[in-house]
Amino acid sequence: MNNVFVYCEIEGQTVADVSLELLTKGRKLANTLGVQLECICAGSKLDGVEKQVLPFGVDKVHVFDAEGLFPYTSNPHTALVVNLFNEEKPQICLLGATVIGRDLGPRVSSALFSGLTADCTELEIGDFDMNVKNENGEMEKKHYVNQLYQIRPAFGGNIVATIVNPEHRPQMATVREGVMKKEVLDPNYKGEVIRHDVAKYVPETEYVVKVLDRHIEKAKHNLKGAAIVVAGGYGMGSKEGFDMLFDLAKELHAEVGASRAAVDAGFVDHDRQIGQTGVTVRPKVYIACGISGQIQHIAGMQDAGIIISINSDPNAPINTIADYVINGTVEEVVPKLIKYYKKNSK
Amino acid sequence: MSLKIVVLAKQVPDTRNVGPDAMTPEGTVNRAALPAVFNPEDLNALEQALRLKEQFPGSTISVLTMGLPKSAEVIREALYRGADQGYVVTDRPLGGADTLATSYTLSQAIKKIGDYDIILGGRQAIDGDTAQVGPQIAEKLGLTQVTYAEEILSLDPEKKKIVVKRHIDGGVETVEAPLPLVVTVNGSAAPCRPRNAKRLMKYKNATIAAERTPEQAEALAPVLEKKPYLNITQWGAADIDADPAQIGKAGSPTNVKAVQNIVFKAKESRTMTGSDDEIDTLIQELLNEKIIG
Ligand SMILES: Cc1cc2nc3c(=O)[nH]c(=O)nc-3n(C[C@H](O)[C@H](O)[C@H](O)COP(=O)(O)OP(=O)(O)OC[C@H]3O[C@@H](n4cnc5c(N)ncnc54)[C@H](O)[C@@H]3O)c2cc1C
């Protein structure tokens, strides 16, 4: 009861990295709260799946193994999570901010009337005071201990909001892949494994959506793991502007990333978006070209080793966190980077 | 066979164009200085609705929004592009809603609209990127959902089935789902067709009650008898039988504890102009220090 839960996403038989990252975070939160860490593994043919999750310090693995649970569809997974939570009454539930997590999380939160915060960049435990009405209808200050602080950039400038859900459980949050760090706690960690009778949690009538066809392609790029990232923003001006960045990236063996403004403008594919609602990167070198550096973007690249900013505006916010600031236009500077890299790397 | 289609639309501040004029000296955004726009992915959803209407003549598209009275702008825009009618849910007590209170309110309005075969909306709104409202509405109405839709491939009104191509992490899948349901549409789906000039003329003076001055309301009354379409339906919390405990701030489990201004820790940096010499030296340094290979 009152434990920390992580919903583990499973592709075939493999638990997703984002779920393992959340187990690592969940373990720390559970330690702070003095409770246990539990997780849900739902899919089909999941024999031995616990071996993938126990090393992250899971005390209890709930396995739901049945034919219709893979590929994921909304209703059966919602049913099993909601019914399990009605029994277990967790205080916290973490999910990946993936297509699946963003499909499942809101459905579960609606069914349980619990708050859900999307795309958190930090999770902490702390106290909270709020004025609430007492029995006599008077306002009274109420002190809530050990609340989950769900921290995320907010729209409206360089501001970060801390969200709490004092009156409702579980406190639910989604987090993007790569935001939290994945760390094995103990390869031999001992936890309990419970194989549930799926039919008890998921009525037959929930299997309403049929997956007719499914293609998973190999990722076209390795932005997440790249040692050098060349990122372009709205200041690149066009798709053609981005060609220049692909050229530079090719020379440097780098990957190309982008701001949301560049993605929205259609300069480059959405899967290259870096930031709070995109990919989080931690490269050795980050070259920001025509990016102003709004908080949502910075959230996805602030741990880069060396940051080089090329911007025509000397006061662009990103310049404050850059190691090298080049005041100039991308049209002028990027070709020079290519030229002098070619010259000097020979 | 005709369909009853509901499209969810939101008016959002244009977060993509936060120009210098919208920035205050403290580095925060003056929302009022931002243009309000039709949430982009809701337009993708409207296009899917319009395609269904073409395929199944006699279908009707109702557009539903919740917001300030001025959010009637998105209804007009949808009417210009081919929607049949609109509903604006606007009321003081609805303010301060998080996604759960919003989806409750919208689901109550959908119940009031009544008959529907499919509810379409954008995957997410650009002022929050949460993607929560669609699935929450589906849950509240007891419907299934298909999120991240790229295209409705087919719909069989007799068998009450729809086939949708949707985006998943690292790929695509095709699913078959029963009607009625909620479908949320991705920005990568077909863009929305432009306004139709005739429809623009027809609907440009359509308003909700809250947008009219008493004089305008008086002048409009006789006109509405002949042109009822100039009245866009406006509902308050009571009209949709909303439980006061589930709307606005009261119906929102999430609370903002604090909002903090972030001051970036300034690094010691080197500033240069981008002359040939400077770039040449920079590259040499980065190579010598093995920062780049
Ligand atoms: C809910 C939400 C989630 C978001 N998530 C993300 C996210 O994950 N990632 C993200 O990036 N953003 C995100 N954003 C958007 C973010 O707030 C900013 O709008 C966006 O990062 C700005 O992109 P930009 O810096 O490319 O564009 P702009 O802010 O328009 O900046 C363009 C920059 O280019 C410079 N420039 C112009 N011309 C030239 C030239 N010729 N040469 C050199 N420099 C030039 C300008 O001086 C300026 O600094 C989100 C916003 C919201 C509301």
Side-chain angles (χ1 to χ4, degrees), chain A residues 266-299:
Chain A
F267 300 168
V268 65
D269 284 345
H270 174 257
D271 60 359
R272 294 191 185 265
Q273 179 180 318
I274 291 171
Q276 183 208 350
T277 58
V279 180
T280 295
V281 296
R282 295 186 174 80
K284 252 172 38 183
V285 183
Y286 192 87
I287 309 179
C289 308
I291 293 180
S292 63
Q294 297 307 312
I295 182 92
Q296 292 91 352
H297 187 79
I298 306 264

PDB file of all heavy atoms in Angstrom, chain A residues 266-299:
ATOM      1  N   GLY A 266       8.689  23.486 -40.217  1.00  0.00           N
ATOM      2  CA  GLY A 266       8.853  22.490 -41.271  1.00  0.00           C
ATOM      3  C   GLY A 266      10.266  22.409 -41.833  1.00  0.00           C
ATOM      4  O   GLY A 266      10.485  21.829 -42.886  1.00  0.00           O
ATOM      5  N   PHE A 267      11.247  22.993 -41.122  1.00  0.00           N
ATOM      6  CA  PHE A 267      12.621  22.956 -41.633  1.00  0.00           C
ATOM      7  C   PHE A 267      13.207  21.551 -41.520  1.00  0.00           C
ATOM      8  O   PHE A 267      14.114  21.179 -42.252  1.00  0.00           O
ATOM      9  CB  PHE A 267      13.542  23.902 -40.841  1.00  0.00           C
ATOM     10  CG  PHE A 267      13.133  25.352 -40.880  1.00  0.00           C
ATOM     11  CD1 PHE A 267      13.722  26.266 -40.006  1.00  0.00           C
ATOM     12  CD2 PHE A 267      12.194  25.812 -41.791  1.00  0.00           C
ATOM     13  CE1 PHE A 267      13.358  27.605 -40.031  1.00  0.00           C
ATOM     14  CE2 PHE A 267      11.823  27.153 -41.814  1.00  0.00           C
ATOM     15  CZ  PHE A 267      12.403  28.052 -40.925  1.00  0.00           C
ATOM     16  N   VAL A 268      12.704  20.774 -40.545  1.00  0.00           N
ATOM     17  CA  VAL A 268      13.338  19.499 -40.233  1.00  0.00           C
ATOM     18  C   VAL A 268      12.330  18.596 -39.524  1.00  0.00           C
ATOM     19  O   VAL A 268      11.319  19.076 -39.010  1.00  0.00           O
ATOM     20  CB  VAL A 268      14.611  19.781 -39.375  1.00  0.00           C
ATOM     21  CG1 VAL A 268      14.242  20.372 -38.031  1.00  0.00           C
ATOM     22  CG2 VAL A 268      15.483  18.558 -39.193  1.00  0.00           C
ATOM     23  N   ASP A 269      12.605  17.272 -39.528  1.00  0.00           N
ATOM     24  CA  ASP A 269      11.654  16.305 -38.952  1.00  0.00           C
ATOM     25  C   ASP A 269      11.486  16.472 -37.444  1.00  0.00           C
ATOM     26  O   ASP A 269      12.423  16.799 -36.734  1.00  0.00           O
ATOM     27  CB  ASP A 269      12.127  14.869 -39.206  1.00  0.00           C
ATOM     28  CG  ASP A 269      11.885  14.459 -40.634  1.00  0.00           C
ATOM     29  OD1 ASP A 269      11.116  15.170 -41.324  1.00  0.00           O
ATOM     30  OD2 ASP A 269      12.484  13.457 -41.058  1.00  0.00           O
ATOM     31  N   HIS A 270      10.282  16.119 -37.007  1.00  0.00           N
ATOM     32  CA  HIS A 270       9.922  16.265 -35.604  1.00  0.00           C
ATOM     33  C   HIS A 270      10.808  15.439 -34.671  1.00  0.00           C
ATOM     34  O   HIS A 270      11.089  15.835 -33.542  1.00  0.00           O
ATOM     35  CB  HIS A 270       8.456  15.875 -35.416  1.00  0.00           C
ATOM     36  CG  HIS A 270       8.039  15.851 -34.000  1.00  0.00           C
ATOM     37  ND1 HIS A 270       7.883  14.685 -33.299  1.00  0.00           N
ATOM     38  CD2 HIS A 270       7.830  16.854 -33.115  1.00  0.00           C
ATOM     39  CE1 HIS A 270       7.566  14.967 -32.056  1.00  0.00           C
ATOM     40  NE2 HIS A 270       7.526  16.276 -31.918  1.00  0.00           N
ATOM     41  N   ASP A 271      11.283  14.288 -35.145  1.00  0.00           N
ATOM     42  CA  ASP A 271      12.057  13.425 -34.242  1.00  0.00           C
ATOM     43  C   ASP A 271      13.437  14.000 -33.921  1.00  0.00           C
ATOM     44  O   ASP A 271      14.199  13.419 -33.167  1.00  0.00           O
ATOM     45  CB  ASP A 271      12.147  11.992 -34.787  1.00  0.00           C
ATOM     46  CG  ASP A 271      12.814  11.912 -36.138  1.00  0.00           C
ATOM     47  OD1 ASP A 271      13.195  12.969 -36.681  1.00  0.00           O
ATOM     48  OD2 ASP A 271      12.950  10.788 -36.661  1.00  0.00           O
ATOM     49  N   ARG A 272      13.753  15.145 -34.498  1.00  0.00           N
ATOM     50  CA  ARG A 272      15.028  15.787 -34.163  1.00  0.00           C
ATOM     51  C   ARG A 272      14.855  16.918 -33.142  1.00  0.00           C
ATOM     52  O   ARG A 272      15.815  17.614 -32.809  1.00  0.00           O
ATOM     53  CB  ARG A 272      15.705  16.324 -35.429  1.00  0.00           C
ATOM     54  CG  ARG A 272      16.124  15.213 -36.380  1.00  0.00           C
ATOM     55  CD  ARG A 272      17.028  15.741 -37.474  1.00  0.00           C
ATOM     56  NE  ARG A 272      17.318  14.699 -38.448  1.00  0.00           N
ATOM     57  CZ  ARG A 272      18.398  13.921 -38.412  1.00  0.00           C
ATOM     58  NH1 ARG A 272      19.291  14.073 -37.469  1.00  0.00           N
ATOM     59  NH2 ARG A 272      18.598  12.999 -39.336  1.00  0.00           N
ATOM     60  N   GLN A 273      13.648  17.125 -32.682  1.00  0.00           N
ATOM     61  CA  GLN A 273      13.419  18.215 -31.717  1.00  0.00           C
ATOM     62  C   GLN A 273      14.096  17.921 -30.383  1.00  0.00           C
ATOM     63  O   GLN A 273      13.907  16.869 -29.796  1.00  0.00           O
ATOM     64  CB  GLN A 273      11.927  18.410 -31.481  1.00  0.00           C
ATOM     65  CG  GLN A 273      11.633  19.516 -30.468  1.00  0.00           C
ATOM     66  CD  GLN A 273      10.137  19.693 -30.242  1.00  0.00           C
ATOM     67  OE1 GLN A 273       9.354  19.657 -31.176  1.00  0.00           O
ATOM     68  NE2 GLN A 273       9.756  19.875 -28.993  1.00  0.00           N
ATOM     69  N   ILE A 274      14.857  18.897 -29.922  1.00  0.00           N
ATOM     70  CA  ILE A 274      15.534  18.784 -28.629  1.00  0.00           C
ATOM     71  C   ILE A 274      14.801  19.665 -27.628  1.00  0.00           C
ATOM     72  O   ILE A 274      14.422  20.796 -27.951  1.00  0.00           O
ATOM     73  CB  ILE A 274      17.007  19.235 -28.771  1.00  0.00           C
ATOM     74  CG1 ILE A 274      17.762  18.199 -29.614  1.00  0.00           C
ATOM     75  CG2 ILE A 274      17.676  19.394 -27.400  1.00  0.00           C
ATOM     76  CD1 ILE A 274      19.147  18.618 -30.009  1.00  0.00           C
ATOM     77  N   GLY A 275      14.611  19.148 -26.420  1.00  0.00           N
ATOM     78  CA  GLY A 275      14.005  19.989 -25.396  1.00  0.00           C
ATOM     79  C   GLY A 275      13.033  19.236 -24.519  1.00  0.00           C
ATOM     80  O   GLY A 275      12.935  18.014 -24.570  1.00  0.00           O
ATOM     81  N   GLN A 276      12.300  20.009 -23.755  1.00  0.00           N
ATOM     82  CA  GLN A 276      11.365  19.450 -22.781  1.00  0.00           C
ATOM     83  C   GLN A 276      10.387  18.475 -23.429  1.00  0.00           C
ATOM     84  O   GLN A 276      10.079  17.436 -22.856  1.00  0.00           O
ATOM     85  CB  GLN A 276      10.566  20.587 -22.135  1.00  0.00           C
ATOM     86  CG  GLN A 276       9.627  20.110 -21.049  1.00  0.00           C
ATOM     87  CD  GLN A 276       8.424  21.018 -20.917  1.00  0.00           C
ATOM     88  OE1 GLN A 276       8.365  22.095 -21.504  1.00  0.00           O
ATOM     89  NE2 GLN A 276       7.466  20.584 -20.141  1.00  0.00           N
ATOM     90  N   THR A 277       9.874  18.812 -24.591  1.00  0.00           N
ATOM     91  CA  THR A 277       8.918  17.914 -25.230  1.00  0.00           C
ATOM     92  C   THR A 277       9.542  17.256 -26.458  1.00  0.00           C
ATOM     93  O   THR A 277       8.846  16.861 -27.377  1.00  0.00           O
ATOM     94  CB  THR A 277       7.604  18.648 -25.584  1.00  0.00           C
ATOM     95  OG1 THR A 277       7.909  19.746 -26.438  1.00  0.00           O
ATOM     96  CG2 THR A 277       6.923  19.172 -24.340  1.00  0.00           C
ATOM     97  N   GLY A 278      10.853  17.148 -26.432  1.00  0.00           N
ATOM     98  CA  GLY A 278      11.565  16.440 -27.488  1.00  0.00           C
ATOM     99  C   GLY A 278      12.589  15.517 -26.859  1.00  0.00           C
ATOM    100  O   GLY A 278      12.340  14.919 -25.825  1.00  0.00           O
ATOM    101  N   VAL A 279      13.734  15.428 -27.503  1.00  0.00           N
ATOM    102  CA  VAL A 279      14.798  14.541 -27.031  1.00  0.00           C
ATOM    103  C   VAL A 279      15.695  15.305 -26.052  1.00  0.00           C
ATOM    104  O   VAL A 279      15.892  16.506 -26.185  1.00  0.00           O
ATOM    105  CB  VAL A 279      15.640  14.082 -28.246  1.00  0.00           C
ATOM    106  CG1 VAL A 279      16.768  13.155 -27.821  1.00  0.00           C
ATOM    107  CG2 VAL A 279      14.750  13.414 -29.277  1.00  0.00           C
ATOM    108  N   THR A 280      16.207  14.577 -25.045  1.00  0.00           N
ATOM    109  CA  THR A 280      17.209  15.163 -24.156  1.00  0.00           C
ATOM    110  C   THR A 280      18.582  14.664 -24.585  1.00  0.00           C
ATOM    111  O   THR A 280      18.760  13.461 -24.777  1.00  0.00           O
ATOM    112  CB  THR A 280      16.943  14.750 -22.700  1.00  0.00           C
ATOM    113  OG1 THR A 280      15.697  15.315 -22.307  1.00  0.00           O
ATOM    114  CG2 THR A 280      18.030  15.266 -21.763  1.00  0.00           C
ATOM    115  N   VAL A 281      19.520  15.556 -24.760  1.00  0.00           N
ATOM    116  CA  VAL A 281      20.865  15.152 -25.202  1.00  0.00           C
ATOM    117  C   VAL A 281      21.911  15.606 -24.189  1.00  0.00           C
ATOM    118  O   VAL A 281      21.710  16.592 -23.469  1.00  0.00           O
ATOM    119  CB  VAL A 281      21.195  15.727 -26.605  1.00  0.00           C
ATOM    120  CG1 VAL A 281      20.259  15.157 -27.661  1.00  0.00           C
ATOM    121  CG2 VAL A 281      21.141  17.249 -26.619  1.00  0.00           C
ATOM    122  N   ARG A 282      23.008  14.852 -24.131  1.00  0.00           N
ATOM    123  CA  ARG A 282      24.131  15.218 -23.266  1.00  0.00           C
ATOM    124  C   ARG A 282      25.433  15.058 -24.039  1.00  0.00           C
ATOM    125  O   ARG A 282      26.300  14.280 -23.655  1.00  0.00           O
ATOM    126  CB  ARG A 282      24.168  14.313 -22.023  1.00  0.00           C
ATOM    127  CG  ARG A 282      22.972  14.484 -21.094  1.00  0.00           C
ATOM    128  CD  ARG A 282      23.132  13.673 -19.823  1.00  0.00           C
ATOM    129  NE  ARG A 282      22.053  13.950 -18.888  1.00  0.00           N
ATOM    130  CZ  ARG A 282      20.834  13.404 -18.984  1.00  0.00           C
ATOM    131  NH1 ARG A 282      20.566  12.559 -19.951  1.00  0.00           N
ATOM    132  NH2 ARG A 282      19.905  13.712 -18.100  1.00  0.00           N
ATOM    133  N   PRO A 283      25.594  15.767 -25.138  1.00  0.00           N
ATOM    134  CA  PRO A 283      26.791  15.560 -25.961  1.00  0.00           C
ATOM    135  C   PRO A 283      28.009  16.249 -25.356  1.00  0.00           C
ATOM    136  O   PRO A 283      27.876  17.077 -24.446  1.00  0.00           O
ATOM    137  CB  PRO A 283      26.403  16.221 -27.283  1.00  0.00           C
ATOM    138  CG  PRO A 283      25.474  17.318 -26.884  1.00  0.00           C
ATOM    139  CD  PRO A 283      24.732  16.827 -25.670  1.00  0.00           C
ATOM    140  N   LYS A 284      29.165  15.905 -25.893  1.00  0.00           N
ATOM    141  CA  LYS A 284      30.403  16.597 -25.504  1.00  0.00           C
ATOM    142  C   LYS A 284      30.350  18.043 -26.012  1.00  0.00           C
ATOM    143  O   LYS A 284      30.767  18.963 -25.323  1.00  0.00           O
ATOM    144  CB  LYS A 284      31.591  15.887 -26.162  1.00  0.00           C
ATOM    145  CG  LYS A 284      32.420  15.111 -25.179  1.00  0.00           C
ATOM    146  CD  LYS A 284      33.487  14.240 -25.858  1.00  0.00           C
ATOM    147  CE  LYS A 284      34.153  14.874 -27.069  1.00  0.00           C
ATOM    148  NZ  LYS A 284      35.109  14.042 -27.776  1.00  0.00           N
ATOM    149  N   VAL A 285      29.860  18.179 -27.225  1.00  0.00           N
ATOM    150  CA  VAL A 285      29.807  19.519 -27.833  1.00  0.00           C
ATOM    151  C   VAL A 285      28.416  19.772 -28.421  1.00  0.00           C
ATOM    152  O   VAL A 285      27.855  18.905 -29.094  1.00  0.00           O
ATOM    153  CB  VAL A 285      30.846  19.650 -28.972  1.00  0.00           C
ATOM    154  CG1 VAL A 285      30.838  21.059 -29.547  1.00  0.00           C
ATOM    155  CG2 VAL A 285      32.225  19.268 -28.489  1.00  0.00           C
ATOM    156  N   TYR A 286      27.871  20.959 -28.142  1.00  0.00           N
ATOM    157  CA  TYR A 286      26.560  21.349 -28.673  1.00  0.00           C
ATOM    158  C   TYR A 286      26.727  22.658 -29.430  1.00  0.00           C
ATOM    159  O   TYR A 286      27.134  23.666 -28.851  1.00  0.00           O
ATOM    160  CB  TYR A 286      25.582  21.533 -27.517  1.00  0.00           C
ATOM    161  CG  TYR A 286      24.138  21.657 -27.950  1.00  0.00           C
ATOM    162  CD1 TYR A 286      23.366  20.520 -28.135  1.00  0.00           C
ATOM    163  CD2 TYR A 286      23.546  22.893 -28.160  1.00  0.00           C
ATOM    164  CE1 TYR A 286      22.039  20.609 -28.527  1.00  0.00           C
ATOM    165  CE2 TYR A 286      22.216  22.990 -28.565  1.00  0.00           C
ATOM    166  CZ  TYR A 286      21.466  21.842 -28.737  1.00  0.00           C
ATOM    167  OH  TYR A 286      20.155  21.935 -29.124  1.00  0.00           O
ATOM    168  N   ILE A 287      26.464  22.628 -30.717  1.00  0.00           N
ATOM    169  CA  ILE A 287      26.598  23.855 -31.507  1.00  0.00           C
ATOM    170  C   ILE A 287      25.193  24.353 -31.834  1.00  0.00           C
ATOM    171  O   ILE A 287      24.465  23.735 -32.605  1.00  0.00           O
ATOM    172  CB  ILE A 287      27.412  23.599 -32.794  1.00  0.00           C
ATOM    173  CG1 ILE A 287      28.726  22.880 -32.437  1.00  0.00           C
ATOM    174  CG2 ILE A 287      27.684  24.914 -33.531  1.00  0.00           C
ATOM    175  CD1 ILE A 287      29.607  22.558 -33.635  1.00  0.00           C
ATOM    176  N   ALA A 288      24.786  25.458 -31.206  1.00  0.00           N
ATOM    177  CA  ALA A 288      23.436  25.999 -31.377  1.00  0.00           C
ATOM    178  C   ALA A 288      23.465  27.081 -32.448  1.00  0.00           C
ATOM    179  O   ALA A 288      24.114  28.111 -32.273  1.00  0.00           O
ATOM    180  CB  ALA A 288      22.934  26.577 -30.062  1.00  0.00           C
ATOM    181  N   CYS A 289      22.760  26.837 -33.543  1.00  0.00           N
ATOM    182  CA  CYS A 289      22.798  27.776 -34.669  1.00  0.00           C
ATOM    183  C   CYS A 289      21.442  28.450 -34.836  1.00  0.00           C
ATOM    184  O   CYS A 289      20.462  27.792 -35.201  1.00  0.00           O
ATOM    185  CB  CYS A 289      23.153  27.035 -35.947  1.00  0.00           C
ATOM    186  SG  CYS A 289      24.640  26.024 -35.805  1.00  0.00           S
ATOM    187  N   GLY A 290      21.380  29.724 -34.552  1.00  0.00           N
ATOM    188  CA  GLY A 290      20.109  30.447 -34.706  1.00  0.00           C
ATOM    189  C   GLY A 290      19.048  29.956 -33.745  1.00  0.00           C
ATOM    190  O   GLY A 290      17.878  29.838 -34.095  1.00  0.00           O
ATOM    191  N   ILE A 291      19.466  29.639 -32.515  1.00  0.00           N
ATOM    192  CA  ILE A 291      18.526  29.216 -31.467  1.00  0.00           C
ATOM    193  C   ILE A 291      18.569  30.254 -30.357  1.00  0.00           C
ATOM    194  O   ILE A 291      19.648  30.599 -29.872  1.00  0.00           O
ATOM    195  CB  ILE A 291      18.928  27.834 -30.904  1.00  0.00           C
ATOM    196  CG1 ILE A 291      18.750  26.762 -31.985  1.00  0.00           C
ATOM    197  CG2 ILE A 291      18.128  27.497 -29.651  1.00  0.00           C
ATOM    198  CD1 ILE A 291      19.115  25.365 -31.543  1.00  0.00           C
ATOM    199  N   SER A 292      17.385  30.736 -29.935  1.00  0.00           N
ATOM    200  CA  SER A 292      17.396  31.810 -28.937  1.00  0.00           C
ATOM    201  C   SER A 292      17.674  31.270 -27.538  1.00  0.00           C
ATOM    202  O   SER A 292      18.278  31.947 -26.713  1.00  0.00           O
ATOM    203  CB  SER A 292      16.058  32.560 -28.950  1.00  0.00           C
ATOM    204  OG  SER A 292      15.010  31.693 -28.576  1.00  0.00           O
ATOM    205  N   GLY A 293      17.220  30.043 -27.247  1.00  0.00           N
ATOM    206  CA  GLY A 293      17.501  29.466 -25.939  1.00  0.00           C
ATOM    207  C   GLY A 293      16.390  29.689 -24.935  1.00  0.00           C
ATOM    208  O   GLY A 293      16.611  30.145 -23.824  1.00  0.00           O
ATOM    209  N   GLN A 294      15.161  29.328 -25.326  1.00  0.00           N
ATOM    210  CA  GLN A 294      14.055  29.363 -24.371  1.00  0.00           C
ATOM    211  C   GLN A 294      14.194  28.169 -23.429  1.00  0.00           C
ATOM    212  O   GLN A 294      14.774  27.153 -23.787  1.00  0.00           O
ATOM    213  CB  GLN A 294      12.705  29.314 -25.098  1.00  0.00           C
ATOM    214  CG  GLN A 294      12.455  30.512 -26.005  1.00  0.00           C
ATOM    215  CD  GLN A 294      12.618  31.829 -25.287  1.00  0.00           C
ATOM    216  OE1 GLN A 294      12.088  32.012 -24.206  1.00  0.00           O
ATOM    217  NE2 GLN A 294      13.399  32.737 -25.863  1.00  0.00           N
ATOM    218  N   ILE A 295      13.603  28.323 -22.247  1.00  0.00           N
ATOM    219  CA  ILE A 295      13.756  27.311 -21.199  1.00  0.00           C
ATOM    220  C   ILE A 295      13.402  25.904 -21.676  1.00  0.00           C
ATOM    221  O   ILE A 295      14.065  24.931 -21.332  1.00  0.00           O
ATOM    222  CB  ILE A 295      12.910  27.703 -19.956  1.00  0.00           C
ATOM    223  CG1 ILE A 295      13.083  26.710 -18.812  1.00  0.00           C
ATOM    224  CG2 ILE A 295      11.449  27.832 -20.283  1.00  0.00           C
ATOM    225  CD1 ILE A 295      14.147  27.071 -17.874  1.00  0.00           C
ATOM    226  N   GLN A 296      12.346  25.795 -22.511  1.00  0.00           N
ATOM    227  CA  GLN A 296      11.946  24.450 -22.952  1.00  0.00           C
ATOM    228  C   GLN A 296      13.032  23.809 -23.803  1.00  0.00           C
ATOM    229  O   GLN A 296      13.143  22.587 -23.856  1.00  0.00           O
ATOM    230  CB  GLN A 296      10.643  24.502 -23.764  1.00  0.00           C
ATOM    231  CG  GLN A 296       9.415  24.883 -22.965  1.00  0.00           C
ATOM    232  CD  GLN A 296       9.165  26.379 -22.956  1.00  0.00           C
ATOM    233  OE1 GLN A 296       9.998  27.150 -23.436  1.00  0.00           O
ATOM    234  NE2 GLN A 296       8.048  26.786 -22.408  1.00  0.00           N
ATOM    235  N   HIS A 297      13.788  24.628 -24.497  1.00  0.00           N
ATOM    236  CA  HIS A 297      14.885  24.081 -25.296  1.00  0.00           C
ATOM    237  C   HIS A 297      16.076  23.745 -24.403  1.00  0.00           C
ATOM    238  O   HIS A 297      16.619  22.645 -24.477  1.00  0.00           O
ATOM    239  CB  HIS A 297      15.302  25.074 -26.387  1.00  0.00           C
ATOM    240  CG  HIS A 297      16.315  24.484 -27.324  1.00  0.00           C
ATOM    241  ND1 HIS A 297      15.976  23.618 -28.332  1.00  0.00           N
ATOM    242  CD2 HIS A 297      17.671  24.580 -27.355  1.00  0.00           C
ATOM    243  CE1 HIS A 297      17.075  23.220 -28.961  1.00  0.00           C
ATOM    244  NE2 HIS A 297      18.114  23.795 -28.391  1.00  0.00           N
ATOM    245  N   ILE A 298      16.435  24.688 -23.553  1.00  0.00           N
ATOM    246  CA  ILE A 298      17.580  24.502 -22.645  1.00  0.00           C
ATOM    247  C   ILE A 298      17.398  23.225 -21.811  1.00  0.00           C
ATOM    248  O   ILE A 298      18.351  22.503 -21.534  1.00  0.00           O
ATOM    249  CB  ILE A 298      17.710  25.718 -21.695  1.00  0.00           C
ATOM    250  CG1 ILE A 298      17.783  27.011 -22.497  1.00  0.00           C
ATOM    251  CG2 ILE A 298      18.878  25.547 -20.732  1.00  0.00           C
ATOM    252  CD1 ILE A 298      19.122  27.553 -22.772  1.00  0.00           C
ATOM    253  N   ALA A 299      16.131  22.940 -21.420  1.00  0.00           N
ATOM    254  CA  ALA A 299      15.858  21.757 -20.589  1.00  0.00           C
ATOM    255  C   ALA A 299      16.387  20.488 -21.234  1.00  0.00           C
ATOM    256  O   ALA A 299      16.722  19.542 -20.536  1.00  0.00           O
ATOM    257  CB  ALA A 299      14.354  21.628 -20.345  1.00  0.00           C
TER     258      ALA A 299
END
